[in-house]
Amino acid sequence: MNITIHRGANQIGGSCIELATEKTRILLDVGKELPSLDETVPVETELLPGVKALIEQQAVAAVLISHSHGDHVGLIGQVNPAIPVYIGKGALHIYNTTARFTGSQPLANPVVFFESSRPQIIGDFTVTPYLVDHSGYDAYGFVIEAGGKTVVYTGDFRDHGKKAKATAYFKNHLPSGIDALLIEGTMMTRSMEALETEDQLEEKARELMQSSDKPVLVLQSSTNIDRLVGMYKAATKNNRIFVMDIFTAHIVSQLAASIPKLSPSFDNIRVIYPFWLTRKMFEKDHDHLMNQFSRYKITKEELGRRQDYCLLFRPSMLSDLQHIDHLEGAELIYSQWSGYKHQKKIKAVLDFADQKTMTLTDLHTSGHASAQALKAFIQQCNPRMVLPIHTENPDAFLECGNRVYLPQDGELIRL
Ligand SMILES: [Zn+2]
Ligand SMILES: [Zn+2]
């Protein structure tokens, strides 16, 4: 088996790995580069030339997508629609919902859904996906076997979120005699600091919501489902209603039954309709998507009259916040990566919060494994070769011994 990291050997984002035998070739992830923080670099729209050539020659038997983050799935729309795509059901729902709300196309390829720990045969390859804990919902790592060789790809993962047990199961069910481990290294440093767990974060949010009698606003990604669950629990334990916007409502609508959503089983959730998004969606004839949850609607006027709510919002909803009365003294929970605070749109939100004398609290933990967890994974996996990916700090892996090999993007690695 041959491995080529097309991108990711020295960077976070835009991951793409090729695995090939003489007869079968598969791709693991076809990610987009992460957008630049100052938003000056145009968004990537084309596959890497080497990957594009393989796709055009129809030399790829399947594309496997580890999870729905753009840096892993972002360029899937450029893949020939005849090529099958293997992906988690929840991950595909998130991808397609995002496409419908942003004006791009839902996935057109034939799809095979992953079932955790159930092997799938793709030509020469036997691929066994395992659900892992990550900030992206429905994320998988893989054990991949062909021609007597075994490769493990972790995808993005961690072990301090709400699915920590899934990562433990993956780790404990790795086969012996692994030839190569492709391991993400977002958080790889020499520091061995433990990271805060999602449960600890939820507890802090609960205490904060209890200590205030004002509205609570939470700035977070609509697709960070672990976080959303934590905020929902923190809010409802304090008898607050939980408010999400119509996009987020659709994101959670088809996820596992336990995930809070607009349905008779969760009577404390309401939906708001952001002005610009709503206008755009009606212009594009997406009336059915907009009307599907209208019976759960709460207006900005009603929010202005009450204080007992927790509202999840995105920066694009700033103009809606400006139309809600009585936000003075509210609590603002900043629940995403602190680096985004340099972005113009986030600065505008923070300025608004300042004008309204809101109290700003940072509550966030990484979606990725700590250095400690990465080293523990390598130890348990015990592969002949360690190939770091999805890292800006590959050198830091070298302390894991001489089985660490740091390839360049595009280099052919023969097992
Ligand atoms: Zn991810
Ligand atoms: Zn990633």
Side-chain angles (χ1 to χ4, degrees), residues 220-402:
Q220 71 149 80
S221 156
S222 299
T223 60
N224 189 340
I225 306 301
D226 270 15
R227 191 64 48 79
L228 181 147
V229 169
M231 293 300 170
Y232 168 79
K233 288 186 177 165
T236 50
K237 278 178 190 160
N238 285 295
N239 298 317
R240 289 175 183 270
I241 57 162
F242 189 68
V243 185
M244 54 176 85
D245 80 300
I246 184 67
F247 167 64
T248 312
H250 276 279
I251 288 286
V252 291
S253 66
Q254 287 180 34
L255 305 185
S258 59
I259 307 292
K261 51 180 70 69
L262 293 162
S263 81
S265 342
F266 297 92
D267 58 4
N268 38 21
I269 307 182
R270 298 288 179 273
V271 61
I272 70 162
Y273 285 75
F275 178 78
W276 292 110
L277 178 65
T278 304
R279 196 159 101 167
K280 193 181 78 185
M281 291 297 281
F282 276 110
E283 275 170 10
K284 287 188 177 154
D285 292 332
H286 284 316
D287 306 31
H288 62 291
L289 286 177
M290 300 309 279
N291 293 333
Q292 194 176 334
F293 298 114
S294 54
R295 64 186 175 283
Y296 299 99
K297 179 176 175 174
I298 189 163
T299 62
K300 287 158 216 166
E301 290 71 26
E302 188 182 344
L303 287 175
R305 286 194 299 271
R306 49 199 296 180
Q307 305 269 290
D308 63 336
Y309 62 90
C310 167
L311 165 67
L312 235 64
F313 77 102
R314 291 170 286 117
S316 60
M317 290 160 65
L318 176 57
S319 66
D320 299 286
L321 297 184
Q322 287 163 340
H323 286 90
I324 297 174
D325 288 341
H326 302 121
L327 281 179
E328 291 74 16
E331 299 289 333
L332 172 62
I333 298 180
Y334 182 87
S335 198
Q336 52 187 16
W337 181 51
S338 60
Y340 292 136
K341 284 186 181 172
H342 302 293
Q343 285 182 327
K344 245 194 222 160
K345 57 186 182 185
I346 303 287
K347 272 188 191 156
V349 169
L350 298 178
D351 286 349
F352 169 74
D354 217 30
Q355 284 161 24
K356 293 281 180 187
T357 63
M358 292 186 201
T359 310
L360 174 67
T361 308
D362 289 82
L363 284 187
H364 184 59
T365 191
S366 177
H368 300 272
S370 64
Q372 196 177 7
L374 293 170
K375 286 170 191 169
F377 194 94
I378 292 171
Q379 202 174 15
Q380 174 107 13
C381 185
N382 194 23
R384 287 194 188 89
M385 194 193 306
V386 176
L387 301 166
I389 181 168
H390 201 280
T391 179
E392 287 174 347
N393 207 2
D395 290 351
F397 278 90
L398 290 172
E399 68 179 76
C400 299
N402 55 12

Side-chain angles (χ1 to χ4, degrees), residues 124-268:
D124 285 347
F125 289 95
T126 302
V127 178
T128 311
Y130 288 90
L131 189 70
V132 291
D133 183 29
H134 178 46
S135 52
Y137 183 79
D138 202 20
Y140 294 85
F142 304 95
V143 174
I144 302 161
E145 294 155 296
K149 302 285 181 186
T150 306
V151 171
V152 170
Y153 172 43
T154 61
D156 288 0
F157 80 109
R158 63 176 172 181
D159 63 1
H160 56 278
K162 292 193 181 286
K163 289 203 170 78
K165 280 186 185 155
T167 298
Y169 185 91
F170 178 37
K171 226 167 83 169
N172 293 331
H173 286 78
L174 292 170
S176 54
I178 291 165
D179 295 282
L181 166 64
L182 289 148
I183 184 165
E184 75 119 315
T186 313
M187 303 291 284
M188 191 58 173
T189 57
R190 282 172 188 87
S191 131
M192 288 295 270
E193 230 174 280
L195 298 169
E196 208 164 18
T197 67
E198 288 289 338
D199 286 343
Q200 287 169 330
L201 220 68
E202 177 186 321
E203 181 53 20
K204 283 188 178 174
R206 190 194 62 74
E207 282 167 12
L208 185 148
M209 291 191 210
Q210 192 175 22
S211 69
S212 169
D213 52 8
K214 301 281 185 189
V216 176
L217 309 182
V218 182
L219 181 57
Q220 71 149 80
S221 156
S222 299
T223 60
N224 189 340
I225 306 301
D226 270 15
R227 191 64 48 79
L228 181 147
V229 169
M231 293 300 170
Y232 168 79
K233 288 186 177 165
T236 50
K237 278 178 190 160
N238 285 295
N239 298 317
R240 289 175 183 270
I241 57 162
F242 189 68
V243 185
M244 54 176 85
D245 80 300
I246 184 67
F247 167 64
T248 312
H250 276 279
I251 288 286
V252 291
S253 66
Q254 287 180 34
L255 305 185
S258 59
I259 307 292
K261 51 180 70 69
L262 293 162
S263 81
S265 342
F266 297 92
D267 58 4
N268 38 21

Side-chain angles (χ1 to χ4, degrees), residues 17 55 101 105 132 229 349:
I17 304 159
I55 297 277
F101 274 83
Q105 291 302 313
V132 291
V229 169
V349 169

Side-chain angles (χ1 to χ4, degrees), residues 12-13 67 69 71-72 134 156 368 390:
I12 296 169
H67 64 288
H69 280 157
D71 61 322
H72 298 259
H134 178 46
D156 288 0
H368 300 272
H390 201 280

